[in-house]
Amino acid sequence: MNLPSSVMGAMRAAGLSPSIRGFSDEATVAPTTAEQAAAVLAAAAAEDLSVGFRGAGTRDEVGGPRTYAIGMLSSGMAEVIDWPVEDLTIVVGSGIAVGELEAMLNEKGQTSLLPTGEPHRTVGGIVAEGESGYGRLKHGPTRDRVLEVTLATGYGKVVRGGGRLVKNVTGYDLPRLVTGSLGSLGFITSVCLKLWPLPPKRSIISVDDAAAAYEQLYRPFAIVESDAGSYVAIEGSAKDISIQAASIGAQIDDQISLPTVISEPVLISVRVPPGSLAAALRLVFDRRPDRFVAQHGVGIIEAGWSRIAVDQVNDLRGKVESLGGAAVVLRSNGLLPGVDPWGTAPPTMSIQQRLKQLFDPSGICNPGKLPGGL
Amino acid sequence: MSLISELVALLGEERVRHHPLDLAVFAKDSGVTSGPVVAAVLPETAAEVASCVNLAVAHGVPIVPRGAGTGLAGGAVPVEPGLLIVLTRMGGIHEVDEIGRTAWVGPGLINLDLSTSLASRGLHFAPDPSSQQASTIGGNVGTNAGGPHCLADGTTIAHILAAELVTADGDIVIVGSGAPDLPGLDLRSVVVGSEGTLGIVTRVLVRLMQNPPDAATLLIGFRTIEDAAATVSQIIASGTIPAALEMMDRPMIEAVEAFVHAGYPTDVAAVLLAEVTGTGQSVADATALVESIAEAHNAALIRVATDSDERALLWKGRKSAFGAVSQKAPDYYLHDTVVPRTRLVEVLAQIYEIGERHGVEMLNVFHAGDGNLHPLVAFDANEPGMIERVRAAADEMVRVSIKAGGTLSGEHGIGIEKRDLMPLVFNEADLDAQARIRDAFDPQRIMNPGKVLPSGSRCFDASGARLP
Ligand SMILES: Cc1cc2nc3c(=O)[nH]c(=O)nc-3n(C[C@H](O)[C@H](O)[C@H](O)COP(=O)(O)OP(=O)(O)OC[C@H]3O[C@@H](n4cnc5c(N)ncnc54)[C@H](O)[C@@H]3O)c2cc1C
């Protein structure tokens, strides 16, 4: 099947030459401006053709693997748009790689605090996923640092929300809503991020009891318990860090680093209220993961299995949900047939449906990725 | 039956206020607008709130949620004859999770009472608006309130994990959750700061922060505003974000000194109040850093306080600012705009010029660390032509802020006050997108209508074509 001529025409008029790249059934485009992206979405909406959005493609499986009539890549929008260094904000195209961004920021003593475990991932992809890096315990989630967003909506308009300011209550908070929306409302073309200065020093120390460290320390950067060991990351001056480490009877060893990305074929993210982390960890241990990384005080456990039975996952999910949390299957490589990636749909489905309908009336933007098949 | 008699049947006489005197009290908030009130009700449970909503909807009467009414943008003031749902009777602290550092609280709880009652557990609620002795958590959620200590910790949105919401449909739903990143769209993100237009918040899950083990407060005097502002920028760039960085200009210092004698120097152009918190060594490190940066920028005076009484004394001047102004003139108009931190000096100079040109008295006390300006005009409304001059000056101040890359509001909200200025910051497609958010929650537009968005904001139909 070929794309209708109206859609091909819209792509050509926008100066885009579609190519086939396997991610979509028909064609893949890489717009270089928000207006181009909106024009393609408007044409696709008129023909009811689904459009899948993709950054580096590392999370195609989240929400269940799918193919689309059209693939839209952010690779054409990978530039730094504005970086007023002293304001500690930066505006970037959604396609910029997070590793490249961080290297550039670090050189000026700044950081985006985004997760950099997979440096080729794009900023747009991370924002669409709503994922946060290890510093969440101290610095809060990524969502709180997305100050402005530009979006090509499912109804084919370019809209901007928020502003390039670190404090702002002017209008509804579109940037925070778009963060974690998984492309359901439209294609993110650029974002303004709030940056933090790099601390004088950050050290990672090995601890025996992560839960105790969480009780004892004042606002550490991260407290991580994993299959490889338990660690605390502390920021400050060298002297301050050594006093803090001593206060919990730990030694600084500058060779240690925080756990790397889990690459097992099945990857499940367990999210519970931080007060229930210990209980959730026991539930995960009972199912013998090959790898796990838990963030104390945050309430997230990521666990990887080379294989795990469907019943085990369903049972884990039921128990995690009764703790007020969710067990999200981020990746299963076909090993968990019939398991919904999200679990029980949220209680606010009717409002979520209306939002989706109002931003994507034809249901063409990453259809089906959100819980409840939205 | 009339709406009022149905409400009385539901809540009893005492909790349905419709006497002309009551209506006058509820007709305005702490800003400059007032509006027509049908009745004000005082529900005590979410179920009662939902019943009130259903009755109002059945009678076609718009609903306006209200906390303590300390809002400055007219958020709690009806635009058309409306039913005020006042949440002050729902002020409980229901559940505290000390390990998870969270608590479920009622929307009517006074901000300061939350932190005071948690002090023995070593926890506090970080957002500390200057109105914290009076404003409610529900109102803080409504406006996404800020305060001096939101510089490092973020405004209210960063401290609200979930909220129970009574929607325009009369449903009781929970947005957000105690668990991070729960699947689905994060509706909590837009409910916080929605100024009562997306529903009524009847319970809030707040994030609590550890009380800092140590703290130091620095009072620094500068001979020029430029030096003070440059100090702010350099402190932040240096890698330490202080807990607070507040600035006051000379007219404000003089007003404060005349009022409370806080011991601020009156021979300087500006004072900076910086607070650093953490463990002992980190406080010592940050104090030394702030001192050295201030010295490099010609500080005329540096005073450091580490014990809590001395720190409270240094804060006293800042905290008395609004009281001091009411001693000076019978009325004041408090502005709230934001500019990029690096443009502070330039915009302040323009603001002084505007004040002078309109012949109004201007004082400044503001959150310098995040570029949040609060120019304050002290005036006497009885003076002929004064109100017009104050408004004209206000309008110009907003425009110069926006021209410098800033925006309409950093913490007080849009409400009625700035609704019609929204097109200065957003184009029609942007406003249409925001109207879609509102319509997803409240298609009938019964929840606090006429707020935040100018009328006609929804300008495209579903296909993206312009509405006729
Ligand atoms: C002297 C003074 C100093 C101030 N200082 C600051 C400051 O430093 N920082 C700051 O941010 N603000 C400040 N303010 C403004 C004001 O105190 C805040 O906006 C505060 O958050 C309002 O709380 P409230 O309980 O009075 O709410 P209200 O004024 O009653 O309502 C505010 C808005 O929230 C909505 N609302 C209230 N309760 C609910 C609910 N339960 N559910 C849904 N919507 C609701 C209302 O409809 C309205 O739109 C100050 C005000 C004064 C008078």
Side-chain angles (χ1 to χ4, degrees), chain A residues 330-354:
Chain A
L330 293 177
R331 182 170 70 224
S332 66
N333 282 291
L335 293 169
L336 296 175
V339 175
D340 182 276
W342 300 109
T344 306
T348 51
M349 273 320 283
S350 63
I351 302 172
Q352 307 226 8
Q353 265 156 359
R354 289 205 291 254

Side-chain angles (χ1 to χ4, degrees), chain A residues 346-351 354, chain B residues 43-54 85 87 90 104 107 162-176 187 191 198-204 441 447:
Chain A
T348 51
M349 273 320 283
S350 63
I351 302 172
R354 289 205 291 254
Chain B
E44 288 170 6
T45 63
E48 285 183 354
V49 172
S51 302
C52 293
V53 167
N54 289 333
I85 299 191
L87 285 307
M90 296 174 65
W104 275 106
E164 180 184 78
L165 189 75
V166 174
T167 67
D169 302 329
D171 292 339
I172 302 174
V173 297
I174 292 193
V175 296
L187 303 183
V191 166
L198 302 186
I200 301 172
V201 172
T202 49
R203 216 156 44 108
V204 188
F441 284 81
M447 281 291 169

Side-chain angles (χ1 to χ4, degrees), chain B residues 29-30 64-72 75-76 87 107 129-131 135-136 138-140 142-143 145-147 195-196 199-201 322 332 367 411-412 448:
Chain B
D29 59 6
S30 302
V64 181
R66 180 181 171 109
T70 67
L72 293 164
L87 285 307
S130 302
S131 58
S135 65
T136 64
N140 296 164
T143 58
E195 304 189 37
I200 301 172
V201 172
F322 299 113
Y332 68 77
H367 312 303
E411 53 182 30
H412 296 168
N448 215 356

Side-chain angles (χ1 to χ4, degrees), chain A residues 344-369:
Chain A
T344 306
T348 51
M349 273 320 283
S350 63
I351 302 172
Q352 307 226 8
Q353 265 156 359
R354 289 205 291 254
L355 264 174
K356 170 76 175 168
Q357 216 273 325
L358 284 160
F359 277 83
D360 180 19
S362 312
I364 57 161
C365 297
N366 268 3
K369 266 203 180 287

Side-chain angles (χ1 to χ4, degrees), chain A residues 160 172 214 237 271 354 358, chain B residues 99 181 197 285 425 436 440:
Chain A
R160 187 182 57 84
Y172 296 100
Y214 168 66
S237 67
R271 304 162 187 179
R354 289 205 291 254
L358 284 160
Chain B
I99 298 179
D181 305 338
T197 61
D285 291 341
V425 209
R436 285 169 198 258

Side-chain angles (χ1 to χ4, degrees), chain B residues 218-232 245-254 256-257 263-274 294 297-303 318 344-345 348 352 363-366 368 373:
Chain B
L218 293 92
L219 179 77
I220 310 167
F222 293 94
R223 287 192 193 85
T224 67
I225 298 243
E226 285 80 359
D227 280 337
T231 301
V232 169
L245 260 183
E246 300 282 302
M247 210 199 284
M248 285 165 80
D249 69 0
R250 183 164 183 159
M252 185 55 99
I253 300 168
E254 285 172 354
V256 161
E257 277 308 302
Y264 285 16
T266 47
D267 58 346
V268 294
V271 295
L272 199 61
L273 201 60
H297 289 93
N298 317 310
L301 157 145
I302 302 179
R303 226 183 282 152
R318 168 67 182 85
L344 272 177
V345 171
L348 270 173
Y352 288 126
L363 305 88
N364 281 281
V365 47
F366 59 98
L373 287 165

